[in-house]
Amino acid sequence: QAIADVRAAGRFTSLFDFCERVDLKRVNRRVLEALVKCGAFDATWAGGLGSMRVIGEARARMFAAIPLAVERGQKAHSEREAGQKSLFAMIAADDEATPAAAVFPTAEAWADKTVLALEKETIGFYVTGHPLDRYADELELYGTHDTSSLLEQSNGAEVSVVGVIAALRERPMKSGGGKMAYATLEDRSGQVELIVFQRCYAEHEEILHCDEPVMVRGDRKSVV
């Protein structure tokens, strides 16, 4: 609400403008980090964003600039509360014309996988792409179905689906010998729940815990 109240007076032009205008007692550093991670400030980046490489660099540099932006913002708020004319406000016009390279510190660009993982972590879904995008050729070669077409298959139909493990819930066997798991497989068209039985889980546990795309062969009733 603190952000929406200020935003009603005009769009934010940069991370620094945001920190100067929004009450930083109500919007803390953790919130700022989440906003950068999910791409909320992308539209403010000078020159615009196109490729994933540019997005990764821009977000990494904005993330690195958060301490400085907060410091400037807190100073601007303090001066306003004291009835003083903010020095930051006096140079704001100049800052708007300053290239991003002069305002934001240099930082190692986030990898494509990192960009997507942070989007999923902060808002629950991917915005700029999907982890499977770079595996388009492999999807066509090895995958027989995607998650959206599984319901059209009859029970017991054998399928191969490529996706990422979005969630994994392990369950110990009542016998005490090993574990089974319930997994959520996600591709670009949706999600499907998997039942991973004891033998299969023991053989592929490491793969199920990795953050790389996996191919699952099974049938509509169970994963084998």
Side-chain angles (χ1 to χ4, degrees):
Q1 189 59 49
I3 296 172
D5 289 344
V6 176
R7 175 64 176 78
R11 65 183 300 171
F12 300 110
T13 59
S14 69
L15 173 66
F16 292 91
D17 176 55
F18 180 96
C19 289
E20 184 192 8
R21 293 167 56 190
V22 173
D23 185 352
L24 296 178
K25 295 178 182 178
R26 299 173 64 189
V27 179
N28 59 28
R29 177 168 173 167
R30 186 173 180 179
V31 173
L32 289 171
E33 292 176 349
L35 290 172
V36 172
K37 289 177 181 179
C38 72
F41 287 105
D42 284 4
T44 70
W45 189 253
L49 299 177
S51 66
M52 285 290 288
R53 183 190 62 79
V54 176
I55 291 172
E57 179 184 359
R59 292 186 189 175
R61 293 177 64 186
M62 285 190 280
F63 193 86
I66 288 176
L68 177 59
V70 169
E71 180 183 345
R72 287 191 182 184
Q74 290 173 335
K75 182 177 180 180
H77 285 287
S78 297
E79 291 176 348
R80 275 201 300 270
E81 291 174 358
Q84 301 173 3
K85 187 172 183 181
S86 170
L87 176 63
F88 183 75
M90 293 172 61
I91 65 174
D94 292 335
D95 273 354
E96 289 301 316
T98 303
V103 176
F104 295 92
T106 300
E108 183 178 354
W110 290 345
D112 295 358
K113 185 167 66 173
T114 301
V115 169
L116 296 175
L118 291 176
E119 289 177 354
K120 188 68 178 290
E121 172 190 310
T122 52
I123 55 179
F125 54 90
Y126 303 110
V127 177
T128 57
H130 192 278
L132 295 180
D133 289 346
R134 56 195 175 116
Y135 297 99
D137 294 339
E138 289 80 358
L139 289 175
E140 292 186 9
L141 184 61
Y142 297 110
T144 62
H145 299 79
D146 58 26
T147 57
S148 64
S149 65
L150 289 180
L151 292 179
E152 303 170 2
Q153 310 307 309
S154 58
N155 286 336
E158 294 185 357
V159 298
S160 294
V161 183
V162 180
V164 292
I165 302 298
L168 184 68
R169 305 181 305 281
E170 301 172 332
R171 294 288 184 271
M173 301 300 293
K174 292 182 179 180
S175 63
K179 293 181 288 186
M180 63 175 293
Y182 298 91
T184 301
L185 184 73
E186 177 181 307
D187 64 9
R188 290 179 292 184
S189 64
Q191 296 182 335
V192 63
E193 295 301 314
L194 311 177
I195 302 174
V196 188
F197 292 117
Q198 179 183 0
R199 177 180 59 80
C200 181
Y201 184 79
E203 185 176 352
H204 301 295
E205 179 179 0
E206 183 176 349
I207 294 176
L208 290 168
H209 280 280
C210 78
D211 58 357
E212 295 293 335
V214 298
M215 181 176 67
V216 176
R217 292 193 184 98
D219 58 58
R220 281 204 60 205
K221 289 185 178 181
S222 64
V223 175
V224 297

